[in-house]
Amino acid sequence: MRGGASNEADFNGQRIVIKCAGQKTQSVGVTYQMLDRLDAIIAAFEQGDGAFEVISLPADVYRQRMTETQSRGASAGAVGIVTKSVFISDGRPISTVRPH
């Protein structure tokens, strides 16, 4: 992890961010400011059985496939949103993680 203030990390020689989406959430968002620093986005999508499907998507693909929205609160700014279906079709599966 790169610090306590964000979910950015170094993973396999790449600068990444880790995003988590609950079972009913079908997308993840990354601010443009953060996206400019990243090589990849790793998303963990919760499945019906409580396991998480973990998928990596290159930052350039994320940028090409995102839609824009405005976030509110402490992280307010332009956020690129990408759906789970994009991660599945264009990403690379990493693992399925099952909670103990």
Side-chain angles (χ1 to χ4, degrees), residues 18-39:
I18 302 167
K19 294 294 184 171
C20 187
Q23 184 179 354
K24 294 181 181 180
T25 304
Q26 295 297 308
S27 63
V28 295
V30 176
T31 64
Y32 289 166
Q33 182 179 17
M34 182 182 285
L35 188 56
D36 289 340
R37 299 189 299 263
L38 301 174
D39 298 308

Side-chain angles (χ1 to χ4, degrees), residues 17-86:
V17 66
I18 302 167
K19 294 294 184 171
C20 187
Q23 184 179 354
K24 294 181 181 180
T25 304
Q26 295 297 308
S27 63
V28 295
V30 176
T31 64
Y32 289 166
Q33 182 179 17
M34 182 182 285
L35 188 56
D36 289 340
R37 299 189 299 263
L38 301 174
D39 298 308
I41 293 79
I42 295 180
F45 293 98
E46 185 180 24
Q47 307 302 297
D49 64 357
F52 287 86
E53 183 177 7
V54 183
I55 306 168
S56 177
L57 188 68
D60 59 335
V61 175
Y62 190 100
R63 198 174 281 109
Q64 292 168 4
R65 303 291 307 272
M66 69 185 179
T67 57
E68 183 178 330
T69 188
Q70 283 298 122
S71 65
R72 299 167 213 212
S75 64
V79 176
I81 305 293
V82 171
T83 63
K84 178 181 177 181
S85 63
V86 171

